[in-house]
Amino acid sequence: MPDRFIPRAALAVAAAALAAAAVGAPAAVAATSAGTGGPQAIGGAQLSGRGVIVDYGSSGARKLPDVKASAFVIADADTGQVLAAKDPHGWYRPASTLKMLTAVSLIPLLNPNATVVASKQATSVSPNVVGLISGHAYKISDLFTALLTISANDAAVALAQAAGSFGKGMALINAEARHLQADDTVAVEPNGLDATGQHTSANDMALIARQALRLPAFLKYDQTITATFPVSKKKSVSLYNQNSLLTSYRGAIGGKIGWTSAAGATYVGMARRNGVTLIVTLLHCPALTEIDSAKSLLNWGFAADGKVAPVGTLVSALHSAAPASTPQVRSAAAGAVDRRAAARPRAAAGAVDGRAAARPQAAASGPSTLTTAGYSSVGILAAGLGFAYTRRQRSRA
């Protein structure tokens, strides 16, 4: 079985070639079920397992609840201890939980008071949810609010383009995944809509959520219960947060739901009780079960934290220099390829993400405006390394 955990030094040697190779033709492969991790699995050897992973020891902790998810992680955000997991490094479609990566990547880089002009690419995404209109300017902070409350797919594209172009935005998003050591993750669409070669893992979503907890601006957007989004001078849309954990679970502090017919339900939830902050991530769940499953795992986690032996660790982000310039790059969508053999058939990509119905909008062409600059080739290099990483074969045991 080939080893998917490539030494980072070897990747660095071939960096320039890897960035160029990232634009190769994508393989017709679904990023769905899990492969095996191996002894070098990020976060600890135990996290290479594909089944349920928990170490009760002699603590007498209650049994882990049986949740209907193909993969999950429950972890202490402060200590980084993974309390329990199931197939934590398996590759699955992220659906809209990927918007958390888009947010943590771009919030530190974009001026919240600046605007971006919606392009035809942004307004033609289906479903566009908030209903951006081509040629209209939108405030960055409003777009982030729409992104994280009603899961606006059009807002995600506009935010990626606010980095200068869609390709630059996607390169920055993938570079942040590499920075967080979320090496199971490749982003092709900033909104998480199904795309060839796009995948993540329950472990990676926990790393991304942990970073989100460090960003006050993220939490401000993510915890918004209701807001009004100005679509045009004459039209506004009411935003209602889709993450019902915020209003139905004591101590809930954030999270993100996701859904496509291919990904199933996906979810990230975060809660704090008695000074303990927990993260739960779930991938490939039956529809409408994700919030209840998250509550069950959070209840278990708060009861078990400090009693069960940790089975792994949420690793720290890599140290990196501050970016400085904006080189021209091709879209990450062109290079995100996944060459794993599909382990089980899945529904076709292209399903509708989010539970809000699509509304047709005008699709006139319009430019995207650069609202902030200041990124270096470090980010592009990191994205290239990530793409090469995912081109490795992962065989099932």
Side-chain angles (χ1 to χ4, degrees), residues 37-362:
Q40 299 180 54
I42 291 177
Q46 285 179 275
L47 297 186
S48 65
R50 299 205 317 260
V52 174
I53 308 163
V54 62
D55 185 353
Y56 297 108
S58 57
S59 66
R62 65 176 180 171
K63 186 178 178 181
L64 190 70
D66 180 20
V67 299
K68 304 302 181 184
S70 293
F72 67 76
V73 161
I74 177 75
D76 186 313
D78 299 313
T79 66
Q81 293 180 344
V82 177
L83 307 180
K86 178 181 179 182
D87 195 12
H89 280 291
W91 289 359
Y92 297 85
R93 300 179 190 270
S96 282
T97 56
L98 191 72
K99 291 183 173 80
M100 290 187 68
L101 176 60
T102 296
V104 301
S105 303
L106 300 181
I107 283 173
L109 303 177
L110 300 180
N111 179 353
N113 295 314
T115 60
V116 60
V117 175
S119 68
K120 182 177 180 180
Q121 181 181 1
T123 59
S124 61
V125 65
S126 179
N128 56 20
V129 183
V130 78
L132 302 184
I133 301 172
S134 294
H136 285 236
Y138 296 97
K139 193 175 179 180
I140 295 297
S141 59
D142 289 340
L143 291 169
F144 277 123
T145 301
L147 179 82
L148 294 173
T149 56
I150 65 166
S151 205
N153 295 314
D154 42 357
V157 175
L159 287 165
Q161 291 178 327
S165 71
F166 184 83
K168 292 172 187 176
M170 293 310 303
L172 289 165
I173 291 167
N174 281 285
E176 179 65 6
R178 305 289 77 74
H179 171 242
L180 297 176
Q181 299 200 66
D183 288 345
D184 298 318
T185 299
V186 168
V188 178
E189 297 290 343
N191 45 39
L193 287 171
D194 295 324
T196 301
Q198 181 166 269
H199 49 78
T200 191
S201 68
N203 178 79
D204 281 13
M205 290 312 307
L207 295 177
I208 294 163
R210 196 182 191 198
Q211 181 68 5
L213 288 168
R214 299 186 177 106
L215 298 176
F218 176 96
L219 293 174
K220 178 183 176 182
Y221 299 130
D222 195 52
Q223 292 171 354
T224 298
I225 302 300
T226 62
T228 300
F229 185 93
V231 177
S232 67
K233 290 182 179 180
K234 297 182 178 180
K235 179 182 177 181
S236 295
V237 173
S238 296
L239 309 180
Y240 300 95
N241 201 311
Q242 295 177 339
N243 180 21
S244 63
L245 192 80
L246 287 170
T247 54
S248 65
Y249 189 79
R250 181 172 61 87
I253 55 175
K256 186 74 190 71
I257 68 166
W259 164 264
T260 70
S261 59
T266 63
Y267 186 67
V268 176
M270 302 175 288
R272 182 178 296 124
R273 289 183 181 178
N274 302 319
V276 174
T277 303
L278 296 184
I279 296 167
V280 61
T281 65
L282 301 110
L283 296 174
H284 193 223
C285 306
L288 304 178
T289 65
E290 66 274 18
I291 299 294
D292 286 341
S293 292
K295 290 177 180 178
S296 295
L297 287 175
L298 287 168
N299 287 339
W300 178 87
F302 283 120
D305 198 15
K307 297 179 181 178
V308 297
V311 296
T313 302
L314 299 181
V315 296
S316 299
L318 299 173
H319 294 290
S320 59
S325 63
T326 313
Q328 295 291 325
V329 295
R330 290 193 62 182
S331 168
V337 296
D338 179 8
R339 300 191 180 280
R340 292 191 313 145
R344 61 175 179 267
R346 296 292 298 274
V352 171
D353 189 18
R355 292 174 174 79
R359 293 187 299 273
Q361 300 292 334

